[in-house]
Amino acid sequence: MYSEFSLIEFIKNCQPTLPKHIEGIGDDCAIIFRGEENQADEQVVTCDTMVENIHFLRAAISPYELGRKAVTTNLSDIAAMGAKPESIILALSIPKGITNDYLEEFIKGVNSWGVPVIGGDTTKSPEHFVITITAMGRVMRNNIKRRSTAQVGDVIYLSGTVGDSAAGLHAILNDLTCQPLVFAHNNPTPHISVALELAPQENVHAMMDVSDGVASDLVHILKASGVGAEIDTAMIPMSGHFKDYCKVNNLNPVELAVTGGEDYVLLFTASDKVMCHCDLYPIGKIVEGAPQINWIGEDIRKSGFTHF
Ligand code: ADP
Ligand code: MG
């Protein structure tokens, strides 16, 4: 069977020719160019699915949190392009046993980011709850951030700590309690305001969001840009709760932080000084060479999450 990424590659390579004004598969969002000039307001579009028992356990997340998180995964991809979210389309496949109260709480969560639902689809599902969201956003053409524009010499940054979500999932799956980490897993925040601050800065080159873990997500930037990276594992930003949890449960913190995924922070590269009101964490630099990560400090052998 195809791997997740070789299937996407197959879909990309055997489709009809794309119109000139569309940039399709390969980045966090597709881009639909609408105007002629560099100041034009362009549209970006993305789609993400959450499948019960693959992305979430119904007993381990409240319906409100689930609705909110399903939207977050999409808004994070909009932010990754430097764009502002505008609207979402919501498709729900609902199994027996989901109550009206559950659905009402879920929809409150969907609405909690203040982005309007402009359409969708509703079907029955044989067993599992499945949520598919398409999100749309706007960005000025000059401000679009892609995965393909990292330059040798750029510093690589994260816009937040990584690992909390993975540790929260570990706690859920092992019946352990660590409230802040489980909260982080169920309540990620899309880094929209950081993205909107970074987008107009020309020295911010490549950008994406961290959904599968730095170890595999950074490789997407490296492949798209034709460059390599050196990452100093001592610089990977981790929260105090996360480090304590790893210590108590005998987990390798750096390995879990870079392979765990679902942090939804931004990963970007920049030359010169970056202006931002939020904390930014430099973790390494872009170098010439094959599109792979040279880990300095600890050797990381695992990669991030893939479906198959
Ligand atoms: P992200 O983690 O940012 O959501 P993915 O790894 O899911 O990105 O997808 C990588 C790229 O492949 C994106 O451009 C996405 O739109 C595209 N893609 C993923 N699945 C499919 C599919 N089934 N058909 C077409 N394009 C897809
Ligand atoms: Mg993404």
Side-chain angles (χ1 to χ4, degrees):
M1 189 190 167
Y2 282 109
S3 70
E4 180 182 346
F5 293 113
S6 62
L7 176 58
I8 295 171
E9 208 49 35
F10 176 75
I11 295 169
K12 183 176 169 179
N13 292 334
C14 74
Q15 64 176 328
T17 311
L18 271 184
K20 276 208 174 67
H21 69 287
I22 297 181
E23 265 181 50
I25 297 173
D27 220 308
D28 292 282
C29 292
I31 310 168
I32 302 166
F33 293 97
R34 300 148 54 94
E36 294 295 322
E37 72 289 2
N38 282 340
Q39 301 300 312
D41 192 21
E42 313 293 7
Q43 186 165 49
V44 293
V45 187
T46 182
C47 174
D48 264 299
T49 297
M50 288 185 79
V51 179
E52 183 177 350
N53 291 359
I54 301 289
H55 297 91
F56 65 94
L57 301 171
R58 221 189 303 160
I61 184 166
S62 74
Y64 178 88
E65 289 173 323
L66 181 61
R68 190 170 161 86
K69 183 170 177 178
V71 178
T72 294
T73 63
N74 281 273
L75 300 192
S76 180
D77 279 325
I78 299 281
M81 304 299 292
K84 187 169 190 254
E86 186 173 52
S87 59
I88 57 177
I89 293 179
L90 175 66
L92 301 176
S93 298
I94 306 168
K96 276 205 182 104
I98 292 208
T99 63
N100 284 353
D101 283 351
Y102 186 98
L103 289 172
E104 284 166 20
E105 278 302 303
F106 173 84
I107 297 300
K108 274 189 207 159
V110 166
N111 288 332
S112 65
W113 293 116
V115 180
V117 179
I118 60 163
D121 197 19
T122 307
T123 73
K124 185 159 83 174
S125 165
E127 213 174 331
H128 297 121
F129 190 22
V130 180
I131 306 136
T132 299
I133 295 180
T134 300
M136 277 133 320
R138 291 297 188 87
V139 55
M140 225 163 66
R141 181 180 298 189
N142 268 350
N143 293 356
I144 297 173
K145 300 299 180 201
R146 294 174 174 81
R147 297 177 178 184
S148 55
T149 43
Q151 292 179 18
V152 172
D154 281 357
V155 174
I156 303 167
Y157 292 90
L158 287 171
S159 67
T161 61
V162 285
D164 280 19
S165 178
L169 178 62
H170 181 275
I172 290 168
L173 295 178
N174 292 282
D175 274 332
L176 301 168
T177 41
C178 185
Q179 201 274 335
L181 298 177
V182 172
F183 185 86
H185 180 69
N186 287 342
N187 294 274
T189 300
H191 283 206
I192 296 163
S193 56
V194 182
L196 295 178
E197 261 191 88
L198 297 177
Q201 299 181 49
E202 280 177 23
N203 61 310
V204 175
H205 292 152
M207 186 152 82
M208 69 180 299
D209 68 325
V210 179
S211 53
D212 297 333
V214 173
S216 66
D217 285 331
L218 178 56
V219 175
H220 292 307
I221 287 184
L222 303 182
K223 283 186 175 159
S225 302
V227 293
E230 280 176 4
I231 299 292
D232 181 350
T233 55
M235 306 275 278
I236 299 294
M238 296 177 270
S239 74
H241 288 298
F242 174 76
K243 287 191 252 186
D244 292 347
Y245 182 87
C246 288
K247 202 168 193 180
V248 170
N249 293 288
N250 208 15
L251 298 165
N252 178 331
V254 173
E255 189 176 80
L256 188 59
V258 298
T259 60
E262 292 205 278
D263 302 297
Y264 299 107
V265 299
L266 296 170
L267 171 65
F268 65 95
T269 80
S271 59
D272 303 328
K273 198 169 157 40
V274 185
M275 315 293 271
C276 190
H277 285 96
C278 302
D279 290 336
L280 298 175
Y281 304 91
I283 58 169
K285 61 175 192 252
I286 297 290
V287 295
E288 273 179 29
Q292 59 200 31
I293 304 171
N294 181 15
W295 298 97
I296 298 180
E298 274 184 58
D299 190 20
I300 306 293
R301 288 175 185 276
K302 280 169 61 178
S303 61
F305 179 81
T306 55
H307 279 276
F308 39 81

